[in-house]
Amino acid sequence: MNWRETQLSDFPITFDWGKKNRDFPCLKLQILENYLSDKVNGTTKIPRQSSSSAKKKVKKLKATTLMKFLDTQKENKDTKDKEESREDWKNLLIWGDNLYIMNSLLGKFANSIQLVYIDPPFYTGSNEYIDIPIGVGKKRKTVEQTPSPIKEVAYQNIWSEPNHAKTFSRWFYQRARLIHKLLKREGFIAVRFDYHYGHYAKVILDQIFGESNFLTEFLIRRMYKPVSNKALEYQQHLIIQSDSLFLYRKTPDAKYIGKVKKKKRSNPDPIEHESNDDNVWMDIVGYEKRKKTLYPTENSIKLLKRIISLCSKPDDIVADFFCGSGTTTAVAQELDRRWIGADLSRYSVNEIRKRMLLNKDSAKYPFQLLNLEMYNKHLMYLRLKKKELIAESQKNYYKFILKKFGGNYVDGFDHLQGEKGDAYIHIGDIDSIISPIGIQKAIDELKLQDKNKLVILGWDYFMEVNFFKRLFQEDQKIDVDLRLIPQSLLNNSSDERPFPELPFLEFSQTVDPKGRTLTLEFDKFFTDYHTNMYELDMNQINSLDLIDFWAVDWDYSEKDLFVAHDYSFREIGAGRKIIEAADTKCSHKYDEPGNHTIVLTIVDIFGNETSEYFNLLFR
Ligand SMILES: C[S@@+](CC[C@H](N)C(=O)[O-])C[C@H]1O[C@@H](n2cnc3c(N)ncnc32)[C@H](O)[C@@H]1O
């Protein structure tokens, strides 16, 4: 035991030294979409004609979707030292737990990232519950979005009773260690925390990066004015106005690149002697005053500009694995850096996607949206821990869900756990999403039984899973019924909910055969993804106000990638209090006769996706 370990044993922190920390699995990342480019695999997409009847808010772009694996584990020895060229590079937006994401990125990105900025949850819970506005004008309502089951389970891992400090420390230590591995020798990490756990984080960072690599603690002013009296009540005595931003270098090779330019005060305080190179950054605010997104803890652009300019140069890779509203990725792009952003929350990933699509340089800098492949955490735990105990509790979990669903437990399969009528049932783990790969594995087992009906019960789903459902139906003749496990089961609520379907859209198609024009008009949108939806009186709400974003490919080909020819999303209006709804109508004129496949992707206000897919023949 070395000195530091002995000292640390006095803290309520126990570090999980050694091998145990390597227990977390490495998952593959699946590339999903938003590959914004007119050049895909060397083939240039033909720009589509703009449609005259679509309302002007509907935007045109060339965006593509693809679905394949990003082979992050295959370390390319040739490019490792040379680094990937800017032309080959695609920025990455990844949905999932950053522990698995970072571990999965190690193969390709170890020793590659110049700056990691993170602003992890502070134990205030403020970014777990988000007030989401629905509708416009007087009819506007808000619904509080509670964390998804996956997020709830993840947060329990950080703030589990009775010893928060210990669980927080383990949680943070594992992630900080991975960031250390991802950073270049000349790289930096900037970590924002508040008074709750900042001190623990500092000790952990000292441990991982070395005390001599600690550069400074910047003092960040949260806002110019206290947000509300609530803060005062909460703290009882004083309003907390500052956060800490700890800056470490990976090695002494890391040198500051830019300079901090502070705003000259018109009426300088004679007692304060602030200079450009001191650590008191009170001339700017840490949270955004004029918010770009509906995200509650949006960091300020000025803060990110300052830290990114100080620690990186154009073309460097800047990453944020707690990306929230995407301030880091937006500023990195503005400053001509490459970026990697990740977040556990679907809502956040959707906010970032919109933010990056709106960015004026979105066509110049393509980005890929990635999901982790099937987590299958219980199988990993089975490998690692007490097998019998876990197998038994897993079985009880399946039986509990099946009882609520009215199905029976079946033994002897890896990916099928129940049956109901003539269908087999696959159940997702509570801390995992259902992915197309997971569904395919269940289908493979189903086929061996000569069956063709599969019910999936999941807590959360891979983005665009509905689109894959169509492919399973058409290509493999398997009827897949995707259901959500109601969140009320998690809270042990006596309030029994049905297992709802994934969101879907009812829409009408008007075809003008002579003019070869197709018009889509949205009629009704149905989303039951969220528990709090039950609290809303749907008679009072225009269901189309629940749509946050949609995109359409007028001529999808399976060999090809999804191209978002038209899209629209709700935006914060000029008055900032007004939300402008997404458009609900679009049309397209086809130049050539023939068979066309149309794919429409819709994201609801909570960040959940669904797709519609149909064929049309123009003679
Ligand atoms: C304080 S917010 C970050 C705000 C961000 N800096 C911005 O400018 O909007 C923290 C974010 O961390 C995410 N998060 C928490 N635990 C995570 C995990 N294990 N993996 C990935 N993201 C996580 C939350 O979903 C939340 O969006």
Side-chain angles (χ1 to χ4, degrees):
M1 202 179 262
N2 67 28
W3 173 85
R4 209 175 289 141
E5 279 174 76
T6 344
Q7 295 297 308
L8 281 172
S9 61
D10 297 337
F11 279 79
I13 302 175
T14 331
F15 288 100
D16 277 341
W17 303 110
K19 246 185 144 192
K20 247 172 101 190
N21 270 310
R22 269 171 235 131
D23 281 354
F24 39 81
C26 164
L27 300 175
K28 280 188 185 161
L29 293 166
Q30 290 170 316
I31 300 177
L32 188 67
E33 67 167 326
N34 284 338
Y35 183 14
L36 275 170
S37 170
D38 56 350
K39 280 198 176 171
V40 180
N41 299 335
T43 57
T44 305
K45 294 258 151 211
I46 305 144
R48 310 288 156 151
Q49 254 192 346
S50 65
S51 108
S52 53
S53 56
K55 276 198 222 161
K56 61 174 184 329
K57 219 188 144 212
V58 175
K59 301 194 172 129
K60 309 276 163 191
L61 87 165
K62 297 167 222 147
T64 52
T65 292
L66 67 167
M67 170 64 212
K68 63 176 185 187
F69 285 114
L70 177 75
D71 200 350
T72 47
Q73 284 311 299
K74 211 171 112 212
E75 196 175 320
N76 187 338
K77 290 259 162 6
D78 297 340
T79 57
K80 191 80 218 165
D81 296 332
K82 275 195 265 161
E83 289 188 7
E84 204 163 342
S85 74
R86 188 72 197 243
E87 292 77 61
D88 300 333
W89 170 264
K90 305 270 175 316
N91 295 317
L92 300 176
L93 172 58
I94 314 169
W95 174 43
D97 189 326
N98 51 25
L99 182 70
Y100 305 104
I101 291 173
M102 289 192 279
N103 203 39
S104 309
L105 292 176
L106 275 180
K108 191 162 180 198
F109 293 102
N111 308 312
S112 304
I113 298 178
Q114 173 63 27
L115 168 67
V116 173
Y117 174 86
I118 54 167
D119 164 31
F122 292 171
Y123 186 51
T124 55
S126 61
N127 53 346
E128 283 181 72
Y129 296 86
I130 300 175
D131 279 337
I132 298 183
I134 301 176
V136 287
K138 279 189 186 153
K139 284 194 178 152
R140 194 165 137 193
K141 303 206 171 334
T142 48
V143 63
E144 187 185 62
Q145 185 184 27
T146 47
S148 70
I150 291 185
K151 199 162 172 181
E152 213 164 299
V153 173
Y155 274 48
Q156 274 169 21
N157 289 340
I158 328 176
W159 316 120
S160 74
E161 298 287 352
N163 191 348
H164 290 146
K166 192 168 169 178
T167 46
F168 164 80
S169 305
R170 181 175 309 122
W171 176 88
F172 184 65
Y173 175 82
Q174 290 177 332
R175 285 160 177 84
R177 223 169 62 105
L178 286 167
I179 293 174
H180 184 263
K181 290 185 180 177
L182 288 167
L183 282 176
K184 272 178 159 178
R185 283 185 62 74
E186 305 80 18
F188 297 88
I189 179 174
V191 181
R192 178 172 180 176
F193 264 112
D194 77 353
Y195 63 94
H196 285 96
Y197 282 95
H199 311 84
Y200 293 104
K202 166 81 170 57
V203 175
I204 292 164
L205 291 165
D206 277 349
Q207 185 76 40
I208 294 169
F209 285 79
E211 281 166 56
S212 61
N213 287 321
F214 168 64
L215 293 170
T216 193
E217 173 185 356
F218 293 109
L219 286 185
I220 307 295
R221 181 200 290 269
R222 287 187 176 177
M223 299 292 268
Y224 285 124
K225 282 189 195 149
V227 182
S228 75
N229 285 336
K230 262 193 201 162
L232 193 60
E233 284 157 30
Y234 175 48
Q235 295 305 332
Q236 291 184 3
H237 303 297
L238 288 172
I239 299 171
I240 304 289
Q241 268 289 59
S242 69
D243 286 340
S244 298
L245 184 68
F246 300 116
L247 185 69
Y248 285 75
R249 60 186 178 196
K250 182 163 176 181
T251 68
D253 290 350
K255 303 279 181 264
Y256 289 134
I257 292 166
K259 281 208 160 27
V260 175
K261 286 188 199 109
K262 282 195 186 169
K263 222 166 71 187
K264 282 254 177 322
R265 296 226 199 129
S266 51
N267 187 10
D269 183 337
I271 302 170
E272 283 178 35
H273 298 285
E274 277 189 46
S275 67
N276 269 350
D277 40 21
D278 72 21
N279 70 327
V280 184
W281 284 6
M282 292 287 169
D283 58 321
I284 52 171
V285 281
Y287 288 116
E288 198 54 68
K289 225 169 86 192
R290 294 177 65 77
K291 293 174 79 172
K292 297 259 178 240
T293 67
L294 295 170
Y295 207 79
T297 53
E298 188 179 315
N299 283 207
S300 80
I301 290 178
K302 282 189 177 143
L303 173 65
L304 267 301
K305 273 195 175 156
R306 199 167 268 187
I307 197 79
I308 292 177
S309 312
L310 185 67
C311 302
S312 69
K313 55 183 186 321
D315 279 355
D316 279 342
I317 304 175
V318 172
D320 185 342
F321 298 104
F322 295 87
C323 208
S325 65
T327 315
T328 309
T329 53
V331 174
Q333 181 146 307
E334 197 185 322
L335 298 179
D336 211 15
R337 273 59 166 176
R338 296 182 263 181
W339 55 263
I340 301 176
D343 204 284
L344 181 61
S345 140
R346 256 176 189 279
Y347 178 76
S348 149
V349 168
N350 191 43
E351 286 296 307
I352 303 169
R353 164 164 57 183
K354 281 194 299 180
R355 192 169 182 177
M356 300 316 298
L357 281 172
L358 269 175
N359 190 294
K360 62 179 172 30
D361 288 328
S362 59
K364 192 166 142 205
Y365 299 124
F367 68 95
Q368 293 174 326
L369 182 59
L370 301 141
N371 270 212
L372 287 171
E373 65 158 340
M374 59 190 297
Y375 285 34
N376 248 350
K377 279 196 190 160
H378 74 276
L379 293 179
M380 302 169 196
Y381 294 146
L382 277 177
R383 279 204 310 269
L384 303 168
K385 297 184 181 160
K386 289 183 187 151
K387 285 194 179 174
E388 295 74 32
L389 222 76
I390 288 172
E392 198 46 41
S393 72
Q394 195 68 22
K395 202 164 163 178
N396 289 338
Y397 160 71
Y398 293 139
K399 283 184 175 168
F400 169 75
I401 303 283
L402 285 162
K403 192 167 159 218
K404 298 283 179 189
F405 186 65
N408 298 313
Y409 179 73
V410 293
D411 233 333
F413 300 98
D414 282 336
H415 302 281
L416 300 172
Q417 292 86 20
E419 57 183 358
K420 185 176 180 180
D422 54 354
Y424 271 92
I425 303 169
H426 167 79
I427 301 173
D429 288 339
I430 191 150
D431 50 3
S432 308
I433 55 164
I434 302 276
S435 75
I437 296 182
I439 302 177
Q440 185 61 59
K441 292 205 164 152
I443 288 179
D444 292 344
E445 285 191 338
L446 187 81
K447 283 183 184 161
L448 293 175
Q449 302 307 304
D450 230 3
K451 297 274 183 182
N452 63 358
K453 281 198 181 140
L454 179 65
V455 178
I456 308 274
L457 306 178
W459 295 95
D460 209 343
Y461 281 85
F462 190 89
M463 291 173 180
E464 292 199 352
V465 73
N466 261 341
F467 176 74
F468 291 96
K469 174 178 152 163
R470 306 268 180 170
L471 297 184
F472 291 134
Q473 247 147 7
E474 282 174 17
D475 298 350
Q476 304 186 49
K477 309 285 173 265
I478 302 291
D479 180 4
V480 185
D481 183 4
L482 304 172
R483 298 284 172 150
L484 279 160
I485 303 174
Q487 231 166 316
S488 53
L489 290 192
L490 193 68
N491 311 332
N492 232 344
S493 147
S494 55
D495 188 13
E496 301 265 314
R497 303 277 183 212
F499 287 66
E501 289 178 54
L502 301 195
F504 64 86
L505 178 77
E506 280 174 11
F507 62 99
S508 59
Q509 307 166 22
T510 317
V511 182
D512 165 14
K514 274 199 188 151
R516 277 200 222 105
T517 304
L518 167 67
T519 302
L520 304 179
E521 203 159 345
F522 304 171
D523 296 328
K524 218 171 175 180
F525 183 63
F526 176 84
T527 181
D528 213 349
Y529 222 101
H530 197 267
T531 25
N532 286 358
M533 289 302 294
Y534 292 106
E535 287 163 17
L536 294 173
D537 178 359
M538 287 310 291
N539 295 324
Q540 302 270 316
I541 286 171
N542 175 357
S543 71
L544 299 181
D545 284 341
L546 300 174
I547 297 178
D548 190 52
F549 170 80
W550 58 261
V552 61
D553 183 336
W554 297 108
D555 220 344
Y556 175 79
S557 145
E558 264 177 55
K559 282 187 244 103
D560 214 342
L561 308 169
F562 178 93
V563 182
H565 297 125
D566 291 338
Y567 72 92
S568 169
F569 43 76
R570 52 181 216 154
E571 288 175 59
I572 302 181
R576 276 189 189 265
K577 292 214 161 127
I578 299 161
I579 309 292
E580 285 175 16
D583 216 334
T584 54
K585 190 177 172 186
C586 54
S587 63
H588 182 68
K589 185 177 175 347
Y590 289 88
D591 296 334
E592 305 291 333
N595 211 345
H596 304 278
T597 301
I598 293 98
V599 179
L600 174 62
T601 290
I602 307 114
V603 182
D604 76 10
I605 56 170
F606 306 111
N608 310 305
E609 300 212 12
T610 183
S611 307
E612 301 296 332
Y613 176 98
F614 60 95
N615 292 311
L616 186 69
L617 179 67
F618 279 112
R619 298 192 187 279

